[in-house]
């Protein structure tokens, strides 16, 4: 440990943003690895709500994590600490006397709470929003390690985030199931999946689940081309089609469908319904819509996600014990590495158009909406 860093006795862990399968595995790995080093571990309730609104919690907003509290949670979806994608302490929304929304920086309250509870370091598990908060706390003198999380796999500087494999495994199973009913009825099934502004989930489940069409935000689509693909399949003797649509997919020259929200990210979704209606009209084929939505965020993490999450949690604690500060754990196969938090931007990691995954989809005859 560098001589300018005091010994750690107590750490805190927070899970923020939308949940992802594997969060509990991170909590388990952090807790056990820290206890092995003789440290105490506090879990903060619901992102930073436990600190900003302690009166709402019978336990004061912190839960003491012990071997007992984290026993048997590796395989559980969700997070035992709770999470939120509201109440960002860096941009906390309040309504002023004129009825306008203003944003406050409440991170000083977190710094004060850490002093009050003798917390020596924080492990912050979350997406780009949570990592920006972690960086702000680091700049205010808190020792912080970030752990990236999202089912969308759209975070920069890490090859993969846990939660993604579970999401695509479940979506793939859904596509398998939809094949049989689509074939029996000779229908078009349109399946809308999450993913925010990147098409990783749609592309990966679409290829693994043998979709006929995959529409992703990185490739604006022409609905006429999609309809042509379906009609050609019909003419070739395949009377059904499976169309996977990412929530931010949009037509050439058109907009993403999004609902603005106050003090939090806009809500995406609805493009599946538009695509389904248009395809029914253009092809004359009976079409049904399935929106997988939050089903992709639930359930037990796959073995792959459990392993990534456990490796990230243990690596975060190792980083602290080796004197690191202000870094994010990242997967750079076959290794875990550390990236300075200040290098993490809110830039979305998009699917590269020249990636072998895109080429694979095209080689398999999957229509990506720009050519049949
Ligand atoms: O980032 C994860 C994610 O599940 C996105 O794919 C989706 O757009 C968003 O969260 C939905 O968030 P919520 O419904 O929890 O506000």
């Amino acid at each position: 440990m560098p001589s300018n860093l005091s010994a750690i006795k107590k750490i805190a862990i927070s899970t923020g943003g939308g949940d992802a399968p594997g969060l509990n595995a991170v909590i388990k790995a952090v807790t056990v690895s820290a206890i092995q080093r003789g440290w105490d571990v506090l879990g903060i309730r619901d992102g930073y709500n436990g600190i900003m609104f302690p009166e709402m919690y019978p336990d004061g907003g912190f839960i003491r994590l012990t071997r007992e509290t984290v026993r048997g949670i590796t395989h559980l979806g969700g997070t035992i600490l709770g999470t939120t994608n509201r109440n960002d302490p860096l941009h906390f929304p309040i309504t002023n006397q004129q009825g306008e929304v203003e944003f406050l920086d409440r991170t000083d309250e977190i710094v004060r709470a850490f002093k009050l509870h003798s917390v020596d370091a924080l492990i912050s598990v979350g997406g780009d929003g949570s990592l920006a908060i972690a960086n702000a706390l680091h700049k205010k003198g808190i020792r912080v390690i970030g752990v990236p999380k999202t089912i969308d796999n759209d975070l920069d500087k890490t090859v993969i985030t846990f939660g993604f494999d579970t999401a695509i495994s479940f979506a793939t199973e859904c596509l398998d199931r939809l094949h049989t009913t689509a074939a029996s009825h000779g229908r078009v099934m349109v399946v809308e999946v999450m993913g925010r502004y990147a098409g990783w989930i749609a592309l990966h489940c679409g290829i693994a689940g043998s979709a006929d069409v995959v529409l992703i935000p990185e490739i604006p689509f022409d609905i006429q081309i999609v309809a042509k693909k379906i009609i050609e399949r019909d003419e070739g003797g395949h009377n059904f089609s499976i169309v996977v649509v990412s929530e931010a997919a949009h037509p050439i020259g058109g907009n993403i469908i999004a609902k603005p929200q106050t003090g939090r990210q806009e809500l995406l979704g609805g493009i599946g319904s538009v695509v389904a209606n248009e395809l029914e009209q253009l092809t004359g084929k009976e079409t049904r819509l399935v929106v997988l939505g939050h089903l992709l965020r639930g359930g037990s993490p796959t073995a792959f996600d459990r392993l990534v999450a456990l490796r990230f949690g243990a690596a975060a604690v190792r980083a602290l014990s080796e004197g690191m500060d202000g870094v994010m754990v990242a997967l750079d196969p076959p290794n875990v590495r550390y990236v300075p938090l200040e290098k993490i931007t809110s830039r979305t990691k998009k699917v590269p158009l020249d990636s072998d995954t895109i080429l694979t989809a095209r080689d398999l005859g999957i229509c990506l909406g720009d050519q049949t």
Side-chain angles (χ1 to χ4, degrees), residues 85 150-152 194-196 247 264-265 267 294 297:
N85 44 21
T150 168
I151 64 163
D152 305 327
M194 285 185 169
R196 294 211 73 74
E247 62 184 356
R264 48 169 297 191
Q265 60 188 16
L267 270 187
H294 295 81
R297 295 232 300 250

Side-chain angles (χ1 to χ4, degrees), residues 255-272:
N255 293 324
I256 293 172
I257 300 180
K259 283 195 209 112
Q261 309 284 303
T262 304
R264 48 169 297 191
Q265 60 188 16
E266 59 187 6
L267 270 187
L268 302 177
I271 185 65

Side-chain angles (χ1 to χ4, degrees), residues 11-15 26-27 30 41-44 65 81 122-123 125:
I11 65 168
I13 176 168
S14 151
T15 53
V26 178
I27 295 167
V30 164
V41 187
L42 292 181
I44 307 169
L65 296 174
L81 298 178
L122 167 70
I123 293 178
V125 193

